[in-house]
């Protein structure tokens, strides 16, 4: 029943809100039912758990309005790291500063955007991280993945290629380089030239 569910969820409502949450609510349909707040990132340094009480896919301004409707007009503006970054980007005309809470947070935001299917946001955040740390292999790899998810195959592989040169110790970037070289070699053989190649390098 709705009343029983509301009682079960009441303790979780004490968890602080964030538009880039590090936890989620799990409802167990047992007898009696139970609700647990589970961290999304295992093995990370201890941090305060946060949940999202709004639509994470909505723009920042819309999320702010939703929170005011949910918690009342006295609700202060959400100041989570994602809102701070997105609202500042809007104010700056889309450029963003990349230094809200430290640019290391940009990768957390980019990973969240990828998980939610916001590939354009993920690519933008990865680029901002790269602007501050050119040899961040994880940022280059995520940028390529975001571009590939948007259908920009050539741009994705160019990003991986540039990232591999700047971060030679990054395992995934170097593996992609080897895969791309093998594909080029395979498609340059006489069999491939006759149209008998295998048709693509994949990701």
């Amino acid at each position: 029943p709705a009343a029983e569910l509301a009682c079960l969820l009441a303790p979780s409502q004490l968890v602080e809100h964030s538009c880039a949450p590090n936890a989620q609510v799990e409802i167990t349909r047992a007898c009696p039912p139970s609700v647990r707040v589970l961290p999304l990132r295992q093995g990370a340094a201890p941090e305060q758990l946060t949940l999202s009480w709004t639509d994470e896919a909505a723009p920042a301004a819309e999320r702010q309005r939703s929170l005011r409707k949910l918690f009342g007009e006295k609700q202060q503006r959400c100041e989570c790291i994602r809102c701070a970054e997105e609202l500042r980007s809007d104010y700056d005309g889309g450029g963003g500063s990349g230094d809200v809470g430290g640019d290391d947070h940009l990768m957390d935001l980019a990973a969240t955007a990828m998980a939610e299917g916001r590939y354009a946001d993920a690519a933008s955040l990865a680029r901002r991280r790269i602007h501050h740390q050119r040899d961040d292999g994880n940022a280059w790899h995520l940028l390529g993945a975001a571009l590939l998810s948007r259908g920009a195959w050539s741009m994705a592989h160019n990003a991986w290629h540039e990232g591999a040169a700047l971060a030679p110790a990054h395992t995934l970037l170097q593996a992609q380089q080897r895969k791309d070289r093998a594909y080029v070699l395979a498609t340059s053989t006489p069999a491939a030239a006759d149209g008998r190649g295998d048709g693509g390098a994949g990701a």
Side-chain angles (χ1 to χ4, degrees), residues 11-159:
S12 67
Q13 294 177 15
L14 299 175
V15 179
E16 184 175 343
H17 165 80
S18 173
C19 296
N22 60 17
Q24 65 183 4
V25 173
E26 179 185 80
I27 301 176
T28 302
R29 296 182 178 276
C31 188
S34 64
V35 172
R36 294 191 300 168
V37 177
L38 302 176
L40 293 174
R41 295 189 289 271
Q42 300 294 336
E47 55 183 338
Q48 181 179 4
L49 293 180
T50 57
L51 294 170
S52 175
W53 297 105
T54 186
D55 181 2
E56 297 165 40
E62 186 176 327
R63 296 198 305 271
Q64 301 287 344
R65 289 193 296 270
S66 175
L67 289 170
R68 284 196 296 272
K69 288 181 181 179
L70 182 62
F71 295 110
E73 289 300 322
K74 293 184 179 180
Q75 164 70 22
Q76 297 295 316
R77 188 179 74 174
C78 177
E79 296 181 351
C80 71
I81 187 65
R82 178 181 169 190
C83 281
E85 176 66 26
E86 291 181 9
L87 290 172
R88 180 177 299 228
S89 297
D90 290 342
Y91 179 79
D92 291 341
S97 67
D99 62 356
V100 180
D103 60 273
D104 287 342
H105 286 82
L106 293 174
M107 287 304 295
D108 289 336
L109 293 174
T112 298
M114 280 293 293
E116 295 174 358
R118 296 183 290 109
Y119 303 125
D121 289 344
S124 175
L125 289 161
R127 286 191 177 102
R128 292 185 200 174
R129 170 59 181 170
I130 291 167
H131 175 75
H132 288 269
Q133 188 71 41
R134 291 284 295 169
D135 62 350
D136 188 332
N138 289 331
W140 284 105
H141 188 264
L142 190 146
L143 173 59
L147 291 169
L148 191 69
S149 296
R150 299 193 71 198
W153 191 93
S154 295
M155 292 176 66
H157 283 264
N158 287 340

